Amino acid sequence: MAEFKTFDEKGNEINVKKEDFSLIVRNKKIHDVEFESKPTTFAKDAFKRFCKNKSSVVGAIIIGILIVLSIFVPIISPHDIKTPSPDIIRLPGKLFNAGSGFWDGTQKIKHVVYDVDSEAPAEYKKNAVIKILNSETTTVNAANKYANGGVLLIVNNQDRNTAIKYFHNFYTIDINQNDNYKLNVSLSDQDGLNGNKLGEYRVLLTFDDKSIELKGWSRDYSDFEIDLSKVLKDNDLVRVSARIRFELGPEYNEDGSIRLSYIGINHATITSSNTSESVINNLKEVSITDANETILCFKDDNGMFPRGYWQGTVSKELYGATITYVDFIYDWYEAKLGMTTKVIGKTTLDDYIKLKYCEYDYSIGASSFKVLNAKKCPITEVLDQKNNSKDDIYTITVTVENYKYKGYTHMPRFLFGTDANGYDMVKLCFNGLRTSLVLSLCASAVCFIFGLCWGSISGYFGGNVDLFMERFCDILGGIPWIVMMTLAIFYLGQNIVTFGLALCLTGWMGTAARTRTQFYRFKGREYILASRTLGSSDARLIFKHILPNAMGTIITSSVLMIPSTIFSEATLTYLNLLSLDTTTFGTILANNKSELSSHPILILFPAAIISLIMISFNLFGNGLRDAFNPSLKGSE
Amino acid sequence: MLKYVLKRIGLAIVTAFIILSLSFILIKSLPYSKPLGTNDQKYSYYLKEVNLGFVVDLPNETSGYGELLFSITTDKISHYFYQRPIFDQYFSWLKNIVTRWDWGQSTYILPSNPAGPIIAQKLPASIRINILSVIVSVPLGILLGIIAALKKNTKTDHIISTTIMIFISIPSFVLITVLMIIFCYNLGWLPTQWPASSAPQIDRIKGYILPVICLSFGSVCGYARFTRAELCEVMESDYLLLARTKGLTRRQAIIRHALRNAMVPIIPSILAEFIGVLGGSMILENLYGIPGIGSLYIKAFSSQDYNVLFVDMALFTIIGLLAGVLLDISYGFIDPRIRMGAKK
């Protein structure tokens, strides 16, 4: 065939001759050209596909962050998680400055009695109260430490024999003509406690065995003032030591029986123009200015006669005292780590003196204290010094800035608060996470290696070996894990190493089963047969040909062993089946279980971390599984 | 088929026998757990143990039997009680179970009472909660799975799948604790503990809510994930394509062909779960104070009441094996082509 005939697009005939062709390559043999692009390996391909799965990548990143945190947080964090510090227990979490309103270590405390004397809610520190939100004033009909005001009720109860009851101040008062002594009485005309009619009363001035009537029997409850000096003058007395005495007459029912009657004293004060201190104090003692206080003084049973002590043959009651409840925002950090009064020993103070933080002279006492290094010295003031014996033993009461006293340079911030021992939750959790991770990594590694060997032998050799090994697994796998754990705990005891061993008892079976399946899958392949025909040993077949192919799948499915180990440990410890001496996740959760209702954050924070770990490991594991699954290759 | 079923059951019995025997020997080798109570109570306890064949009663002290468990002198006759050798105990134990169905007596929980009835007492509470949770979770889980599969790769599917993923990952005790904090302590809607049997009816009904929710969460997620995976696979199969080309609507094809086939592996797992309900949930029972066999297990463990613990262990083991057998067999019933564990 020397000529071709063909047509161009316009239909013209073209003749192609043999000479028009020439060989391009005459002297060379044609080979396969090498790829210019790089070939991708199985691992690279898997990695590429793994990266496409965004949720898995996120999971992997979170795992990475948690691992880094668990390594570095326990190293960097300055907080102490070895020795309990009772004065900083259960602090709320703090990230921002106190008073910013969010995550600032404060707590809104509701309905607490307000102590007027200390100008703070009762039992709370004034300087730590950030803001009082609202206050609500109510009246109570009983004397209360934190109440004030009210009406002192003198009750004449049903006793016919001593029908007239009296009530007088315990300490006598010296009254004279010149100093213008006056008695001011304000009575309550209200119905009072139980709506009984008010009684008849009179007021007397009693001294020695005599008495002068200051105000005769009356039912007039309006305020009155009596000039005592004038009364003395009228009675030709210069100076007496006297008592003021209220007398309450009996009240009769229509049938002649005595019924309950009373008068209510708002206040009864005695004033004088004499301004000497002793007179003023004495007058203060016998005046009823605050009914609540007077009643409380009656209740003092220490054997002391406190200020304002009044007595008589009547029963004393109180009604209408006001008491204030407040809702407020409280800064726990300031309360627990701010200014505190503390009793310290000489050695502690000596240390500070040695460090040149302050100066102090034991022979002079409190006044000799002087701060030299205000930035570092925890003590701001010495209040009192007691020398217990001559042996140089001092107890010194001081005001300290507690955070400096505890060794912090700044007010510390516990991100997630502190637990019942005063340990920082963040450090504690990451410390626990580190232990748990190390434990689970070790246990998983042991399980993985053992499972790999077991599965390889069982899968590669097959036959009777496989049958025997499978039955063994059946029996071991048939034991519920809780039973296995129970037996292991009884036999191996409760510590972290034996617990790890116990985990390995059954943990390897998953890997073994997977390895066995993979071996069955690959051992019949042609390339294995080829290698075997060429005289490969069993070891070479296993390690060179089968394992590398199976490895991806086996590793992926074994990754989930790590979180499941953490989970098992946490569950067992949380159920109190296991009590480890090391801080792990489970022990943190178990220790804080009792705080569930009062401080849920102590449970929620570690629970959140463990959930995060589980979620990210699952995401990561799923992504890895999809990436290594050859049947999914190219399906996206 | 019958032969296969019998073989599976037979194998399960053998496995159970081996596991129980091993556990028995291991537990009996632990230091003897002595009963509490007065000397008379102890005496009657040890007499029963002698009857059961675990302990020997000797008139005088010997050194051949190891540690002296208890000694007492009644009616001028001395009794010295010693543990019998482990294998003697093992055979007595087998004999007791076979002839009298006697599993030994409790040492701590209800001293000197037979252990079997103690477990039986605790079973109803566990079963009730678990059956309720199965009833709630099966339809819900399957429904969610079907929705996710039918709307595959849409927003609905992503939301369902992600939620499932998260709830499967969260440890159950965390979930229970968080739910307890929210609903029992903060909102106060539900009782904080399992109500006593003397509590009013309404409280007792309320008491079921939290346990059932907690138990359902896990299985709802499990079923939903399983159903979604199965249905997705079926949806892409050739016969469904054929059904559609034949002229069936999507709805017809899904209900008549896809769902039926997708249910094949799901129904056995539901059956297995029904057996599993007997096991109760140890974590939930312990945290919520439910008097079921799970909390009994922990109580028996911490008080070292080995006999009760052992019966509980046996129950868990048998339930586990039974569930496995049921799972395998039901595959065969539902889809006769499948023979789990059959030869090539």
Side-chain angles (χ1 to χ4, degrees), chain A residues 78 227 516 578:
Chain A
D227 191 335
R516 177 173 169 270
L578 186 71

Side-chain angles (χ1 to χ4, degrees), chain B residues 28 32 45-57 65 69 80-84 89 92:
Chain B
K28 279 287 168 185
Y32 195 86
Y45 171 85
Y46 282 110
L47 280 186
K48 273 188 205 161
E49 285 284 281
V50 172
N51 261 339
L52 290 172
F54 298 137
V55 168
V56 282
D57 178 6
Y65 281 101
L69 300 176
Y80 291 91
F81 293 100
Y82 291 96
Q83 226 182 332
R84 293 178 68 168
Q89 291 192 46
S92 318

Side-chain angles (χ1 to χ4, degrees), chain A residues 486 491 575 596-597 614 618, chain B residues 26 29 169 177 185 286 297 301:
Chain A
T486 312
Y491 271 91
L575 288 178
L596 191 62
S597 54
M614 302 299 280
N618 268 341
Chain B
L26 283 173
S29 331
S169 306
T177 313
Y185 291 108
N286 182 43
Y297 188 90
F301 175 90

Side-chain angles (χ1 to χ4, degrees), chain A residues 75-364:
Chain A
I75 298 173
I76 293 171
S77 172
H79 307 303
D80 185 4
I81 55 164
K82 289 282 185 292
T83 44
S85 29
D87 47 351
I88 54 165
I89 56 168
R90 300 191 185 95
L91 288 176
K94 177 171 178 173
L95 177 63
F96 303 110
N97 286 334
S100 57
F102 173 69
W103 207 349
D104 56 353
T106 60
Q107 190 191 358
K108 188 175 168 186
I109 299 173
K110 284 183 178 171
H111 205 67
V112 174
V113 177
Y114 189 76
D115 187 352
V116 185
D117 296 334
S118 66
E119 295 180 350
E123 316 278 325
Y124 289 90
K125 284 186 181 171
K126 189 191 168 191
N127 55 347
V129 175
I130 289 189
K131 199 168 148 197
I132 288 183
L133 297 173
N134 52 359
S135 58
E136 179 197 347
T137 307
T138 51
T139 56
V140 287
N141 291 334
N144 188 307
K145 208 168 144 190
Y146 302 113
N148 52 55
V151 178
L152 176 67
L153 225 50
I154 307 171
V155 184
N156 187 349
N157 39 17
Q158 288 141 311
D159 183 355
R160 197 178 279 274
N161 295 329
T162 52
I164 294 176
K165 296 298 176 78
Y166 66 88
F167 180 65
H168 63 70
N169 47 312
F170 184 77
Y171 290 129
T172 54
I173 21 169
D174 291 329
I175 309 171
N176 56 42
Q177 279 188 4
N178 308 325
D179 282 342
N180 203 11
Y181 281 88
K182 275 181 184 156
L183 173 68
N184 264 298
V185 179
S186 166
L187 297 173
S188 166
D189 60 350
Q190 276 185 23
D191 278 28
L193 276 181
N194 36 23
N196 276 347
K197 263 194 168 175
L198 298 165
E200 219 179 6
Y201 74 95
R202 65 172 174 172
V203 186
L204 301 170
L205 186 71
T206 65
F207 51 92
D208 302 335
D209 289 336
K210 290 171 237 164
S211 57
I212 301 168
E213 198 170 62
L214 296 175
K215 188 177 163 101
W217 287 107
S218 146
R219 285 181 196 276
D220 175 17
Y221 302 105
S222 54
D223 298 358
F224 57 86
E225 188 186 84
I226 293 162
D227 191 335
L228 296 174
S229 298
K230 192 165 170 278
V231 171
L232 288 190
K233 221 177 266 173
D234 293 348
N235 285 289
D236 290 336
L237 294 162
V238 181
R239 170 187 287 270
V240 288
S241 227
R243 290 188 167 94
I244 305 291
R245 172 162 160 157
F246 288 87
E247 281 189 358
L248 186 58
E251 284 291 299
Y252 297 98
N253 284 325
E254 277 164 12
D255 60 354
S257 56
I258 291 183
R259 69 150 184 256
L260 219 59
S261 70
Y262 54 86
I263 57 164
I265 302 171
N266 282 334
H267 57 82
T269 50
I270 300 159
T271 52
S272 157
S273 60
N274 187 339
T275 52
S276 75
E277 201 176 313
S278 64
V279 173
I280 289 177
N281 278 344
N282 189 258
L283 291 181
K284 220 187 236 172
E285 265 170 17
V286 295
S287 297
I288 302 172
T289 46
D290 187 320
N292 180 61
E293 198 182 321
T294 309
I295 289 272
L296 278 183
C297 287
F298 280 120
K299 288 187 176 163
D300 189 341
D301 46 16
N302 290 339
M304 301 287 287
F305 292 129
R307 188 159 71 84
Y309 190 82
W310 282 62
Q311 60 170 208
T313 58
V314 286
S315 53
K316 283 83 55 179
E317 280 172 30
L318 179 86
Y319 85 91
T322 56
I323 190 162
T324 310
Y325 288 95
V326 288
D327 296 351
F328 59 99
I329 293 178
Y330 196 61
D331 183 0
W332 283 105
Y333 283 75
E334 185 59 39
K336 302 227 165 162
L337 286 163
M339 292 286 188
T340 331
T341 312
K342 256 199 162 60
V343 178
I344 58 171
K346 185 170 184 284
T347 42
T348 320
L349 189 54
D350 279 345
D351 284 345
Y352 293 133
I353 295 171
K354 233 179 255 166
L355 288 165
K356 302 232 161 117
Y357 287 174
C358 56
E359 268 178 4
Y360 188 73
D361 189 346
Y362 290 99
S363 54
I364 300 175

Side-chain angles (χ1 to χ4, degrees), chain A residues 471 474-475 478-480 482-483 486-487 489-491 494 567 570-571 574-577 589 593 596-597 600 603-604 607 610-611 614-615 618-619 622, chain B residues 15 18-19 23 26-27 29-30 165-166 168-174 177-178 180-181 185 282-283 286-287 297-298 301 304 306 309 313 316-317 321:
Chain A
R471 290 290 80 72
D474 271 357
I475 290 170
I479 305 176
I482 191 81
V483 173
T486 312
L487 289 173
I489 290 167
F490 278 144
Y491 271 91
Q494 308 211 350
F567 174 73
T571 308
Y574 198 61
L575 288 178
N576 292 337
L577 287 179
L589 284 163
K593 202 158 68 170
L596 191 62
S597 54
I603 284 282
L604 284 179
I610 199 170
S611 304
M614 302 299 280
I615 293 173
N618 268 341
L619 284 173
N622 285 349
Chain B
T15 316
I18 295 172
I19 293 172
S23 315
L26 283 173
I27 283 191
S29 331
L30 290 167
M165 231 296 305
I166 290 172
I168 277 191
S169 306
I170 294 179
S172 54
F173 66 90
V174 170
T177 313
V178 171
M180 272 170 78
I181 289 175
Y185 291 108
M282 204 171 283
I283 299 168
N286 182 43
L287 292 184
Y297 188 90
I298 290 169
F301 175 90
Q304 308 205 330
Y306 292 137
L309 188 72
M313 275 182 179
F316 285 141
T317 311
L321 290 170

